[in-house]
Amino acid sequence: MKYYIRTFGCQMNIYDSEKMAGILKTLGYEPARDWKEADVILVNTCSVREKPDQKVLSALGEFKKIKKEKPDAIIGVCGCLAQRAGYEILQKAPFIDMVFGTTNIHHLPKLLEEAKSGNKAVEIIEEIDEGEAELDKYPTVRENKYTAYVTIIRGCDKKCTYCIVPYTRGKERSRRIGEILQEVQYLVEDGVKEIHLIGQNVTAYGKDLGDVKFWELLYAVANVDGVERIRFTTGHPRDLDEDIIKAMADIPQVCEALHLPIQAGSDRVLEAMDRGYTQKEYLQKIELLKKYIPDIALSTDIIVGFPGETYEDYLETVKVVKEVEYDQVFAFKYSPRPGTPAAEMEMTEKPEVVSKWLSELINIQKDISFKKNLQYEGKTVEVLVEEEKEDGSLVGRTRTNKLVHLKGRNNLLGRLVNVKITQANRFSLVGEVI
Ligand code: 5AD
Ligand code: SF4
């Protein structure tokens, strides 16, 4: 019996898919090379903007064809769109056999049984499932052998006015530190070198537990023997305090890279988004980061065309982008999400104008990213070798999360090596092992 999982969206979804693969493995399934040979197809969906919504429906249209060859094949839809609009999807795509949400993934074995017996297996619960921690019982099946995601907190309490996440993933729930460390231990024993702690809002870790802070978790993870690198995403600027920044600087394994979404540069827009900081406060945090960790690589998320945003507001975002000099920027056009407060606000700028702002911003950043990459030429950096291509060449990442292509040499997979950068491209570096 074989499974195929198509994942849309963020790291949380990737991790959830790895868990679902783990559940299916436990049930005796093996991964299919292609969806056409699968007995179970799962589509793990995202709902953060309208585009991913549409992509899900077109993927389902494709997978539907499997029913001709294999009438008993099960098609399941899960993740954020399923949580938000599961019944709607079922109406649009009645051939689906199984629908479940983001907090009851551990019910997959039961749901699969039900679907196999010919019933529609639908379980979308509004409340967070009490038994969620049962998921800890299952292994993850990962594509990357040397770097692994570990969920430390689920949900988000921030309620930014544009964001669907609090509705699709519920309130913040931190995983117990013992469970996290046990998972890290297991991963290291399995050959993992780099631990990537993930959550919608990792810097809020522990608030609901009461007795532990995010920076304490960083130290605890670093103390697990064999952890060579630590990353975390995503932090919220409001919760990123000096204690966390000090720990980042102090712990050798914490990489010099941070994704810190600003969303907008204008105070007026930040206020309308309910982000809880001003441009000045955000820039103060950036300054502090650069003070403690001088060679830190920064990245961010930006939304362009929020309701009420004017050209002057947009220029504030451009100003920040130029001032901070991010290594990478993920910029998106604002997309109203059903049920969020911003969806009720009037859209004030024409879509064509917003598209122009967006492409201008992306072009500005392209040059900055290239300039940042050029600074690597001639330097020697530490690379974790993660992949060997068919032609024998190797691919790895620097501590600052830059992709590096290397001339092939055997026995380097999973190793941290020193690499001299010989060439910088727009999106990657080329180097030689020394
Ligand atoms: N419209 C556009 N972008 C959004 N994001 C979240 N919600 C929306 C929305 N309604 C972006 C934010 C967030 C990233 C994951 O997606 O920038 O950080
Ligand atoms: Fe998409 Fe947000 Fe869900 Fe991640 S949490 S899959 S970004 S909607």
Side-chain angles (χ1 to χ4, degrees):
M1 297 286 268
K2 294 195 168 146
Y3 69 86
Y4 179 87
I5 305 178
R6 172 78 57 91
T7 309
F8 296 90
C10 64
Q11 306 95 339
M12 299 299 288
N13 259 22
I14 297 175
Y15 180 86
D16 287 347
S17 288
E18 291 173 350
K19 273 282 171 189
M20 289 189 269
I23 295 176
L24 291 166
K25 187 180 163 190
T26 313
L27 296 176
Y29 285 80
E30 279 175 34
R33 266 167 299 146
D34 192 273
W35 62 267
K36 290 178 188 136
E37 62 171 37
D39 301 283
V40 175
I41 296 179
L42 290 177
V43 185
N44 193 1
T45 62
C46 173
S47 191
V48 77
R49 286 173 290 276
E50 209 180 338
K51 251 201 191 136
D53 270 23
Q54 292 161 352
K55 278 196 207 155
V56 166
L57 289 172
S58 74
L60 283 171
E62 186 189 358
F63 296 149
K64 182 185 173 185
K65 295 181 201 144
I66 200 158
K67 297 269 184 182
K68 275 200 197 124
E69 306 280 324
K70 286 183 155 192
D72 291 337
I74 305 283
I75 301 182
V77 182
C78 54
C80 292
L81 181 62
Q83 179 71 39
R84 178 176 76 72
Y87 292 99
E88 238 175 278
I89 307 174
L90 201 55
Q91 266 180 354
K92 282 186 192 155
F95 54 87
I96 295 169
D97 307 286
M98 199 164 59
V99 183
F100 54 102
T102 53
T103 79
N104 52 346
I105 295 169
H106 56 289
H107 286 162
L108 177 56
K110 188 184 80 186
L111 291 163
L112 198 54
E113 269 315 301
E114 199 174 323
K116 278 193 253 37
S117 70
N119 297 323
K120 292 256 180 250
V122 181
E123 189 185 81
I124 302 159
I125 46 173
E126 296 275 321
E127 305 296 308
I128 285 150
D129 194 293
E130 297 272 311
E132 188 177 43
E134 248 185 70
L135 215 47
D136 289 335
K137 281 197 323 217
Y138 295 101
T140 47
V141 173
R142 293 164 294 107
E143 283 200 358
N144 191 320
K145 278 178 75 174
Y146 308 108
T147 150
Y149 289 133
V150 175
T151 293
I152 61 164
I153 181 168
R154 299 187 166 96
C156 182
D157 285 353
K158 286 285 189 276
K159 301 241 158 88
C160 303
T161 54
Y162 53 79
C163 189
I164 195 87
V165 171
Y167 310 91
T168 61
R169 293 212 171 243
K171 64 176 178 8
E172 283 166 5
R173 293 100 67 206
S174 301
R175 271 178 82 191
R176 303 226 149 256
I177 202 160
E179 301 284 358
I180 295 170
L181 296 179
Q182 203 169 22
E183 183 165 344
V184 170
Q185 177 78 45
Y186 169 79
L187 288 167
V188 169
E189 281 165 16
D190 200 33
V192 168
K193 302 288 158 70
E194 179 178 293
I195 299 292
H196 196 150
L197 306 173
I198 58 165
Q200 240 66 50
N201 186 10
V202 287
T203 35
Y205 177 79
K207 278 189 181 167
D208 54 322
L209 300 175
D211 53 352
V212 54
K213 299 231 159 47
F214 177 63
W215 61 267
E216 292 175 301
L217 175 69
L218 284 179
Y219 278 102
V221 172
N223 276 335
V224 176
D225 239 7
V227 172
E228 303 210 26
R229 280 181 171 185
I230 301 172
R231 301 185 192 280
F232 58 86
T233 355
T234 303
H236 193 291
R238 197 154 51 163
D239 299 326
L240 184 81
D241 56 25
E242 195 160 352
D243 286 336
I244 297 176
I245 298 174
K246 274 188 189 157
M248 289 172 69
D250 185 47
I251 300 170
Q253 296 107 311
V254 174
C255 292
E256 296 77 25
L258 186 68
H259 183 66
L260 198 65
I262 183 165
Q263 310 298 2
S266 145
D267 287 346
R268 231 172 43 82
V269 176
L270 286 170
E271 168 95 48
M273 291 176 161
D274 204 4
R275 288 290 289 171
Y277 53 83
T278 59
Q279 181 196 109
K280 192 167 158 215
E281 284 162 347
Y282 179 89
L283 290 175
Q284 279 167 348
K285 303 248 160 134
I286 296 285
E287 209 177 299
L288 209 56
L289 281 162
K290 287 182 176 171
K291 184 180 122 196
Y292 279 101
I293 312 159
D295 41 3
I296 192 164
L298 296 162
S299 56
T300 201
D301 288 343
I302 289 171
I303 297 175
V304 180
F306 190 75
E309 187 172 23
T310 63
Y311 186 59
E312 284 67 37
D313 291 320
Y314 159 76
L315 288 180
E316 288 297 308
T317 304
V318 173
K319 189 192 110 190
V320 173
V321 165
K322 286 183 175 165
E323 189 171 325
V324 174
E325 296 204 307
Y326 294 102
D327 284 72
Q328 227 180 339
V329 168
F330 302 90
F332 313 96
K333 224 164 139 170
Y334 168 70
S335 165
R337 302 283 65 212
T340 60
E344 307 295 316
M345 301 177 195
E346 200 190 334
M347 299 279 268
T348 41
E349 199 43 271
K350 290 196 205 78
E352 316 81 91
V353 176
V354 176
S355 298
K356 228 182 99 215
W357 295 354
L358 180 66
S359 63
E360 189 183 291
L361 185 69
I362 290 171
N363 278 331
I364 292 168
Q365 180 55 37
K366 251 192 206 158
D367 292 341
I368 299 174
S369 295
F370 191 33
K371 188 177 123 188
K372 288 255 152 184
N373 280 358
L374 282 172
Q375 290 168 356
Y376 281 78
E377 280 189 348
K379 283 201 181 138
T380 298
V381 288
E382 181 202 277
V383 171
L384 172 61
V385 182
E386 292 176 23
E387 196 191 336
E388 190 175 326
K389 297 268 180 205
E390 271 176 17
D391 65 1
S393 68
L394 304 170
V395 187
R397 279 184 190 271
T398 65
R399 289 174 63 95
T400 49
N401 214 11
K402 305 262 177 205
L403 204 65
V404 186
H405 295 276
L406 301 167
K407 294 263 168 55
R409 219 169 86 187
N410 291 336
N411 307 324
L412 289 183
L413 265 181
R415 300 241 320 253
L416 290 166
V417 290
N418 285 322
V419 171
K420 180 155 187 195
I421 302 301
T422 52
Q423 189 192 326
N425 299 326
R426 281 192 182 275
F427 302 108
S428 64
L429 304 171
V430 181
E432 282 165 13
V433 181
I434 55 172

